[in-house]
Amino acid sequence: MTINSPSSSRPPLPRSSRPRFIARFGAGLSEGSAAEAPSLGGKGAQLCELARLGLPTKPGFVISLEAGRAAKGEIGPALEAGIEAALGWLEEATGLSFSDATRPLLVSVRSSPPISMPGMMDTLLNVGLTREATAGLAMRAGGNLAFALDCRRRLLPALAEIAFDIEPDLFEEALDELKEERDLREDSELSAGDWAEALERFERILEEEEAANLPDSPREQLALAIKSVWASAEGARARAWRSLHKLPQDMGAAVVVQAMAFGNLGPDSATGVVFTRDPSTGAPGLFGEYLPQAQGEEVVSGLRTPRPLSKSAREALGGRAPSLEEVAPGAYADLAAACRKLEAERLDVQDVEFTVESGELFLLQTRPAQRTPRAALRIAADLASEGLISRDEALLRVAPALLERLLHPGVDPSARRETAARGLAASPGAAVGEAVFTAAEAEALARSGRPSILIRAETSPEDIRGIYAADGVLTARGGMTSHAAVIARGLGKPCVCGAGEMRIFENEGLARLPGGRIIRRGDPLTLDGTAGEALFGAMPLIPPPQEEAFERIMGWADARRRLGVRANVDAPAEAEQALKFGAEGIGLCRSEQALFSTGRLTPLRETILASDPHERRAALEKLGAAQRADLEALFRPMAGLPVALRLMDPPLHEFLPKTPEEMAETAASLGVSAEAVAARAADLAEFNPMLGRRGCRIGVLYPEIYEAQARAAFEAALDLGPLAPKPLEIILPFLATRSEMSLLRRQIEETARRVLDEWGAPPEALDWRLGAMIETPRAALRAEDLAEDCDFFTFGTNDLTQMTFGLSRDDAGRFMRDYIAAGALSADPFHVFDEVGVGELMRLAVARGRARKPGILLGVCGEHGADPEAVSHFHEMGVDYVSCSPYRAPVARLAAAQAAIRSDRAADRAKEAPPES
Ligand code: PEP
Ligand code: MG
């Protein structure tokens, strides 16, 4: 349907429909605010906010989400009346008209979903530009016919696509052909005559495609544009984006209708994007790009490579094309002032789209900027240091999981690099993977767990899945604000854009480089997003340098958190790393892993395969000395900090010799035949080793093993004297009963006594504690019993999950994807902590353990120890510390601070809430 009523007979805006159906903004009016995104969509609400703040923007109006939902794709009489009224106001505000072709009102029609979905929906510019109005527009622009024709040639393909599904490429190709015939490179070089010729060719295409009757009245065009935005909110691209971002499919979109700002009006007109701080590094200062003589999406589409905004950025890049600051200094100064105001009001870094029309600035859109993890950290820290936000707010703004990306490697600077392609350093970090040329190839590799580098001429919104699946993105065209760059930055993946010397042949799966070299599909490639380079081969990667802002945020997090953070460490180098990442001790050293890591496998096998306790003791003597030296090396960096050493846990069969060479080697060192070794190994075989002779059962069945391990730990501690752990904690794994606990406690206490006697040392020379690993449901249920005999609990959430679900942690991976797809589980419980099941057991254990021993120390050392959500559950349970891999310690520290802030805020809210009557 069309909007028929002429503007002169417009009805007044019905009060009840404001702002529910239509909200106007600009020309000194604002009927909405940033808080109304749920109704006006992000863009609409922000435009109202811009107007509210008195920032320069063209007037317009928003058709709300509610209006769109009620309309169901068609503009009914009530909405039509509302639109007419708003149009009338717009005509008055601009002095232009939808009915009078001599002073035509042109509008942009854009989508405004409640949550930003960049590039996923239709946008129409120059709506209202009929054949007749084109001459009027030229007159309005001081006789600039080229400009008016340029506007019309932009509108026609867009209308043709939405009205008749005609591929815009047909028009693009016709224009390229014309430019080639006339030896022109840039659109801005086309004269009025060239544009008139281009438009004639466009009209011919429309005739050939039987689409000559495109709507040629402003109201018809507007109705079509509005409906096309609604329809594109239901399109495949938008659906895919929503499902990737776990957004509701019925989210819908408001529609923004706004008077056009013309960035293509002449040499002092331009369109651009500015970030109020650098979205890659977070450094303060404007960061952005612009294109002279351009409209709308051109900057973000990546089809033309844009120019820097400021003179200093141009000089730093060594570019010759003038910056916006040089072309339109007044508009640049206004832009800088608007950015300052926006940041101070919105309290966050903004990503602002703007147009300069004949030297005058207009803002088209503002939204919180996508940023790299590195920038997110710096920006949050700086905003707090500048006093714009509180430290708590800064801590809440950094997603803990992103820190891990920050700590991810870069290319080793000492390695020899062979550059394949150079472009813009669009998103920092480094990745190694196989070259792929389509999103589908990247997805296929990701499914089989292989890393990939996605190479594209330019990225379109359709490539989004590929960017998600790939480990890095390389494009031949496009700038720092192209879709590829924005999305990769948000994901913390390296991206190099605008590597213009590379030519890409997607169908053949290859890229030609200058000098004749070729990258083929499947070739190993390294992407250095920090340097803006793709490198041949798989380069060695190294950890990144420490950021000052990282230390600032971590310092605040440490001051705020109440949960302790330790690390799971098996080797001295890991201990050093853990300290660097702020761990406050070792929460779990898996003693058998420590032995593995120092190559003590043969004496360990001798111990296990010994035929009697006597033979085992002899083997253990060798092993004990070795383990004592290893433990000393591990304890030394942790001087004065708690270190928890778990006595041997895994099923014995894991240590048995398997290959003939291993059999022969063990036989030789034991002084027996290979057959004898094989026979003993067969003796130890179990049907279900994970539930067999493992954990504390080893200590019960082979007491000499635990005794030797405890002795090694005590002797290492005595040897280190003041540098010993404080305290040394010994963990007994896989307990289920109090009898196991008391039996082993007696043994280990006896060992401690003997060692102290032998050393002639007083009892206080050894600061040690004994604890239980809670990893069987029975241990959790009977925590009261266990607490009686131990000083601490540490929750082994890996095994506790395995035992609670009855799900093998070693086998579940093979079917987990299918299981989740079938809806039998919502997530893999070995990755996502099962708060309601495993969590319930833990809460029971905490309550029962503390009931018997109020001060008992409680830790968590399973893989969930750094999962931010799990950390917040552990905080609520009242656990004392979490322990995780060294690299993840910062994640846990920040997650713990966030948990403390959130629970304090909840407590404050509860205090403020009126008491229930
Ligand atoms: C656990 O079970 O959670 C644990 C930390 O021990 P492991 O992973 O060694 O079984
Ligand atoms: Mg375990």
Side-chain angles (χ1 to χ4, degrees), residues 373-387:
R374 183 178 165 208
L377 197 76
R378 166 104 194 245
I379 289 165
D382 283 357
L383 289 179
S385 295
E386 290 164 24

Side-chain angles (χ1 to χ4, degrees), residues 752-890:
R753 250 192 310 277
R754 249 187 270 135
V755 171
L756 285 168
D757 271 0
E758 286 162 23
W759 284 62
E764 57 277 12
L766 269 183
D767 182 0
W768 75 285
R769 317 240 187 290
L770 188 67
M773 189 119 161
I774 306 293
E775 48 188 347
T776 66
R778 194 179 194 286
L781 292 169
R782 304 302 304 174
E784 252 172 299
D785 299 348
L786 296 178
E788 191 74 32
D789 268 330
C790 69
D791 309 306
F792 67 91
F793 287 165
T794 177
F795 289 93
T797 52
N798 305 332
D799 271 310
L800 192 56
T801 301
Q802 166 167 267
M803 303 285 284
T804 304
F805 278 82
L807 182 65
S808 162
R809 58 195 270 200
D810 301 309
D811 301 306
R814 289 206 235 149
F815 58 80
M816 189 51 72
R817 183 193 288 267
D818 296 340
Y819 213 64
I820 292 170
L825 271 178
S826 58
D828 178 350
F830 294 108
H831 288 148
V832 179
F833 179 65
D834 169 43
E835 209 274 318
V836 291
V838 178
E840 185 68 10
L841 270 176
M842 285 179 68
R843 275 187 290 274
L844 267 179
V846 169
R848 293 180 181 178
R850 287 227 161 108
R852 180 60 52 95
K853 195 173 266 179
I856 191 167
L857 181 76
L858 303 175
V860 176
C861 63
E863 288 305 301
H864 306 92
D867 170 40
E869 265 201 37
V871 168
S872 118
H873 296 311
F874 300 148
H875 173 97
E876 293 302 326
M877 284 175 199
V879 159
D880 296 300
Y881 70 87
V882 293
S883 188
C884 55
S885 71
Y887 255 93
R888 304 191 75 200

Side-chain angles (χ1 to χ4, degrees), residues 87 119 135 173 185 241 255 269 275 350 369-370 489 501 510 518 572 577 624 690 769 878:
L87 267 179
E173 281 160 19
R185 300 182 71 225
W241 174 279
V255 182
S269 294
F275 293 84
Q350 299 291 300
Q370 294 266 7
R489 267 203 295 275
E501 291 184 333
L510 58 86
I518 286 175
Q577 191 71 267
M690 275 313 237
R769 317 240 187 290

Side-chain angles (χ1 to χ4, degrees), residues 335-414:
L335 184 64
C339 285
R340 273 195 301 277
K341 181 157 187 177
L342 270 175
E343 249 197 17
E345 290 285 339
R346 311 297 312 135
L347 303 179
D348 197 7
V349 176
Q350 299 291 300
D351 161 356
V352 184
E353 284 180 25
F354 65 90
T355 286
V356 177
E357 181 182 295
S358 301
E360 193 180 346
L361 175 76
F362 295 99
L363 305 186
L364 302 184
Q365 177 174 328
T366 182
R367 60 185 167 197
Q370 294 266 7
R371 61 206 79 176
T372 62
R374 183 178 165 208
L377 197 76
R378 166 104 194 245
I379 289 165
D382 283 357
L383 289 179
S385 295
E386 290 164 24
L388 285 176
I389 59 173
S390 67
R391 287 184 180 179
D392 277 5
E393 186 57 37
L395 289 171
L396 290 174
R397 283 194 185 185
V398 182
L402 289 188
L403 287 185
E404 243 186 306
R405 304 242 175 86
L406 238 196
L407 306 169
H408 275 178
V411 176
D412 183 349
S414 64

